[in-house]
């Protein structure tokens, strides 16, 4: 049996609660060694493999997201890259 509790919060209190919870999740996320390595690098672009590692998904998922235009890849020769700034925007949208 699941217990539920109703709490009345003002909009300011709700915003503060969400903000605190989000900060905790971001701290946990950035503490992940995989993510820490990718964030700390100075490279502005990531390969498909690095992008998959960044999102902790498979390469197939990255391909699907590219086809669905969730991610915007660009090609240099036969290599596919993603802008790190675009990936962070997708992550937080």
């Amino acid at each position: 049996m699941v217990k539920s509790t109703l709490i009345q919060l003002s909009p300011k209190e709700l915003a503060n609660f969400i903000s605190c919870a989000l900060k905790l999740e971001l701290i946990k996320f950035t503490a992940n060694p995989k993510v820490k390595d990718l964030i700390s690098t100075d490279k502005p672009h990531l390969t498909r493999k690095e992008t998959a590692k960044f999102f902790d998904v498979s390469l197939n998922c990255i391909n699907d997201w590219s086809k669905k235009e969730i991610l915007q890849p660009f090609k240099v020769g036969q290599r596919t890259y993603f802008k790190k700034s675009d990936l962070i925007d997708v992550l937080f949208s």
Side-chain angles (χ1 to χ4, degrees):
M1 179 174 225
V2 176
K3 292 183 180 181
S4 59
T5 305
L6 295 177
I7 301 173
Q8 289 185 331
L9 296 173
S10 70
K12 256 186 183 176
E13 291 171 329
L14 179 60
N16 188 30
F17 178 76
I18 292 171
S19 176
C20 290
L22 186 58
K23 283 179 188 176
L24 288 174
E25 288 302 315
L26 286 174
I27 289 169
K28 284 187 213 172
F29 177 75
T30 55
N32 182 341
K34 292 179 185 177
V35 175
K36 191 180 279 188
D37 290 343
L38 291 173
I39 291 174
S40 65
T41 61
D42 293 331
K43 297 187 325 183
H45 305 100
L46 299 178
T47 63
R48 288 175 54 245
K49 192 173 185 178
E50 291 169 333
T51 301
K53 192 175 182 181
F54 180 78
F55 286 111
D56 196 24
V57 296
S58 68
L59 289 173
N60 290 335
C61 189
I62 297 299
N63 290 337
D64 289 343
W65 289 353
S66 296
K67 288 177 186 175
K68 293 177 183 177
E69 298 181 355
I70 295 170
L71 299 177
Q72 302 300 319
F74 68 94
K75 292 196 172 243
V76 176
Q78 292 196 357
R79 293 182 172 255
T80 303
Y81 294 97
F82 298 90
K83 291 182 183 176
K84 189 188 281 187
S85 59
D86 290 347
L87 300 179
I88 292 171
D89 289 343
V90 167
L91 184 66
F92 292 109
S93 65

